[in-house]
């Protein structure tokens, strides 16, 4: 599959988030995991969202509204989350379209590395 990756990186899907969603590779940084999770939201890939969520904080029920179309991600800031870090934070803005109206979600997400793999821990949504 080619075409631009939904995470707004500017790269093609196969050179960006696809290997992570397919399970062919692990996201090397917190920011890349963040991007791949946005792409999973855009595709409604619940299995990947669960897999990339920390087992302590993953919700038991994870429902995705199929009418909510995530179409743009902006990474505003990130701290640590690199190749040699164990924790990291990523601040982002995600935009969606919905029949009831479009919107923007801003969040500061926390990531931790467990057994070498980055996982989403939790996030604080900004108003
Ligand atoms: Zn991507």
């Amino acid at each position: 599959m080619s075409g631009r990756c939904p995470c707004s990186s500017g790269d093609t899907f196969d050179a960006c988030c696809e290997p992570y969603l397919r399970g062919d590779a692990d996201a090397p940084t917190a920011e890349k995991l963040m991007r791949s999770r946005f792409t999973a939201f855009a595709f409604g890939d619940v299995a990947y969202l669960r897999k990339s969520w920390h087992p302590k904080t993953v919700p038991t029920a994870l429902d995705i509204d199929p009418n909510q179309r995530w179409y743009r991600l902006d990474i505003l800031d990130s701290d640590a989350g690199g190749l040699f870090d164990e924790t990291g934070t990523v601040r982002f803005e995600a935009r969606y379209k919905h029949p009831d109206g479009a919107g923007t979600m801003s969040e500061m997400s926390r990531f931790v590395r467990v057994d070498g793999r980055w996982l989403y821990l939790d996030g604080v949504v900004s108003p």
Side-chain angles (χ1 to χ4, degrees):
M1 190 171 161
S2 58
R4 291 287 180 90
C5 190
C7 80
S8 316
S9 63
D11 289 330
T12 55
F13 179 54
D14 59 356
C16 189
C17 296
E18 188 179 26
Y20 312 137
L21 267 67
R22 288 169 58 101
D24 292 344
D26 290 326
T29 65
E31 182 181 326
K32 289 215 159 120
L33 186 75
M34 169 65 230
R35 289 186 171 282
S36 69
R37 284 175 52 82
F38 175 87
T39 298
F41 269 106
F43 287 150
D45 187 341
V46 174
Y48 183 78
L49 290 171
R50 301 195 76 91
K51 197 181 112 180
S52 58
W53 213 307
H54 197 287
K56 268 197 231 164
T57 51
V58 65
T60 43
L62 183 56
D63 291 321
I64 292 189
D65 182 349
N67 291 317
Q68 192 167 26
R69 205 168 68 73
W70 297 93
Y71 70 96
R72 180 173 163 172
L73 174 69
D74 290 297
I75 304 285
L76 304 177
D77 198 12
S78 65
D79 187 47
L83 297 176
F84 305 106
D85 297 312
E86 297 300 319
T87 60
T89 57
V90 178
R91 197 159 62 86
F92 69 91
E93 224 169 57
R95 292 167 205 268
Y96 61 87
K97 291 176 179 150
H98 192 279
D100 297 339
T104 303
M105 182 199 152
S106 306
E107 187 182 296
M108 173 83 86
S109 297
R110 293 199 297 161
F111 297 86
V112 288
R113 203 205 285 266
V114 179
D115 296 332
R117 281 183 53 227
W118 284 106
L119 297 172
Y120 173 75
L121 183 61
D122 56 17
V124 179
V125 176
S126 334

